[in-house]
Amino acid sequence: MTSKGRIYSRDIILILAASFFFMTCPMLVTPLITGFAGTLGAGAAMMGIIGGLMNICSLLCRPFMGNLADKVRKYNLACWGAIFLIAACVGYVFATDPLTVVLSRVINGLGFACCSICLSTWLSTLLPRDMIGSGMGLYGAMNALAMAVAPAVGVSVYQRLGYRAAFVLATVFALFIMVVIQFIKDKGEPETPENKRKTFLPPLKNMKLAEKGVIPIALIVMLFTIPYCITQSFLVNYVEAKGLAVSVSLFFPAYAIILMVLRLSLRRLFDKLPFKVFLFAGCLSSGGGIGALAFMENNIHLLLAAFFMAGGYGIMCSVCQSTAILLAGSGKRGLANGTYYIGLDLGLGLGPVIGGLLLGSVGVRWLYPVMLITLPAELAVYFFSGLRKAENV
């Protein structure tokens, strides 16, 4: 492969750029889509469904896309993902009723699942085995940058020019994906000889829902994701209920900036230290974030929570993804990525549900202390799944 041995090769840089555009597109739409659906006549329940529909659809598509990523050229799959994202954004631009928005969200989820698995798998095939951790750390940094920039850009364009102008900009970012991948020389051929068929659509026999050896990693990333998503969904309500004089708007930009710095500064360690070191450090950091939020009284505590959440959930996302790829080995990297993203999507979906149940049952005072149960659960998965006996873990 043209890029093996160099982490900053032309092809790798282009894939990182495409990953930034792929993440920017849906993240620009996410803070606007429920309000836009409301202007078209959707009720509160429908607005909520529309808001979560992309992730639900993405979750359902993960096993299928993971298999495809191992059976077809990554370039082909990335093209389809970009086409779906473009189609979804065009649907938003011209939508005149909630049903069109629903259909567009389904297409958006399909494109999101396709691009997330394809681009991360494509990147992993271009990286030497001893640089997969640092390479996937850079991939995560691009995603973190997009997640920090895109919502602010989307809201700013909406406030000045309206919803449809913001969706036009999202369409442009989706088009950038298609443009960038045309210049990648290594088209990401399947890694196993039996899969090397240059068809645009693949054979679907021997379809697997998940890679068995990666399931513990998916469970661990799910458990790290749940507290972060509860925070993402209920931080405003939590601060208001406790009557705290805290600037909630500081949390997520601070989290994104800290995460980028951590991923870039620690990227070489991702290939040198075993998984268990990151797991134990991640548990401590996640516990620090939960504790800072539980006893929060001012903005200093809020920023400490952002730092520890980035060191826990943020870093473990990259570590779990690279570990999943290494455990699966060549020829199964797409399925490994698909399994990893199933865990991530479950955390994203279950977090708000669990947060709502906790608020209704134990109240705001015990919301974060109860979340500490995720820490021993993460360690239990590691010790009782056989993961600690696996090579390179």
Side-chain angles (χ1 to χ4, degrees), residues 230 351-364 366-368 370-371:
I230 290 175
V353 175
I354 293 173
L357 291 174
L358 287 176
L359 280 174
S361 57
V362 302
V364 68
W366 290 98
L367 175 64
Y368 282 104
V370 170
M371 269 191 268

Side-chain angles (χ1 to χ4, degrees), residues 7-8 130-138 141 258-274 277-278 281-282 285 307-308 310-312 314-316 318-319 322:
I7 198 170
Y8 295 112
D130 61 353
M131 292 184 180
I132 284 179
S134 53
M136 298 313 295
L138 287 173
I258 293 166
L259 179 56
M260 280 189 63
V261 172
L262 287 176
R263 279 178 169 167
L264 291 173
S265 59
L266 297 176
R267 68 184 186 278
R268 297 188 185 280
L269 295 179
F270 292 156
D271 296 307
K272 295 180 180 179
L273 299 179
V277 172
F278 287 103
S285 190
F307 174 82
F308 286 122
I315 291 298
M316 285 306 298
S318 290
V319 172
S322 59

Side-chain angles (χ1 to χ4, degrees), residues 9 14 19 160 196 228 239 260 262 313 347:
S9 70
L14 288 172
S19 70
R160 289 169 172 77
K196 289 188 177 180
Y228 176 78
V239 168
M260 280 189 63
L262 287 176
Y313 163 72

Side-chain angles (χ1 to χ4, degrees), residues 198-210:
K198 294 186 178 180
T199 54
F200 204 72
L201 291 173
L204 299 180
K205 61 182 179 180
N206 301 322
M207 179 76 72
K208 294 175 65 177
L209 294 178

Side-chain angles (χ1 to χ4, degrees), residues 219-239:
L219 291 174
I220 288 172
V221 78
M222 180 191 75
L223 290 167
F224 272 101
T225 302
I226 287 171
Y228 176 78
C229 285
I230 290 175
T231 302
Q232 188 178 49
S233 300
F234 295 103
L235 184 58
V236 173
N237 307 74
Y238 177 77
V239 168

